[in-house]
Amino acid sequence: QVQLVESGGGLVQAGGSLRLSCAASGRTFSNYHMGWFRQAPGKERGFVAAINWSGSSTYYADSVKGRFTISRDNAKNTVYLQMNSLKPEDTAVYYCAAVDRWGSIAYSRSSDYKYWGQGTQVTVSS
């Protein structure tokens, strides 16, 4: 079992930045690929970014490419999402998720992830 706790959300003006953190506990963090997803009111949960177990590979949704950066620190059992040039359409609840590093997954498919955090709200005002 892996427990995930997100933090760092808040209210920011358009063009601003936030850094989300997701702290993991319960199992060896480097055994998991990690992803960030988001869900806006009335919309389905969608992929934002993912990073493989070692941090050597990263993946992004087209809508955030060039603005968001995912990273991880396996020594601190934490994955980060640096969000720059925020837009009102980035407003959502952001969730981090984990999946075992063994086996084949589609990083952008939420159903492939086994463990989820409770989410953190990000609100971008215009």
Side-chain angles (χ1 to χ4, degrees):
Q1 193 79 348
V2 175
Q3 292 79 43
L4 303 172
V5 179
E6 302 96 335
S7 61
L11 173 64
V12 64
Q13 288 188 332
S17 298
L18 282 175
R19 188 176 83 153
L20 305 183
S21 300
C22 174
S25 62
R27 292 285 178 90
T28 303
F29 184 61
S30 59
N31 284 344
Y32 297 89
H33 305 308
M34 301 297 296
W36 284 97
F37 292 78
R38 65 186 180 186
Q39 187 168 20
K43 294 188 177 181
E44 293 187 354
R45 190 173 299 186
F47 172 71
V48 176
I51 188 166
N52 74 335
W53 67 273
S54 67
S56 61
S57 298
T58 57
Y59 310 86
Y60 296 94
D62 288 343
S63 60
V64 307
K65 207 169 290 184
R67 299 188 298 123
F68 290 11
T69 302
I70 189 171
S71 62
R72 67 188 295 160
D73 186 336
N74 285 348
K76 294 183 178 180
N77 295 345
T78 302
V79 61
Y80 304 97
L81 185 68
Q82 177 67 44
M83 305 186 295
N84 298 329
S85 302
L86 282 161
K87 305 175 181 180
E89 51 263 43
D90 294 318
T91 295
V93 177
Y94 283 70
Y95 299 89
C96 72
V99 61
D100 295 339
R101 61 183 273 198
W102 296 279
S104 176
I105 71 162
Y107 285 94
S108 63
R109 189 163 57 206
S110 60
S111 59
D112 279 8
Y113 289 79
K114 186 173 182 180
Y115 303 103
W116 291 83
Q118 82 291 347
T120 186
Q121 176 70 47
V122 172
T123 303
V124 184
S125 63
S126 57

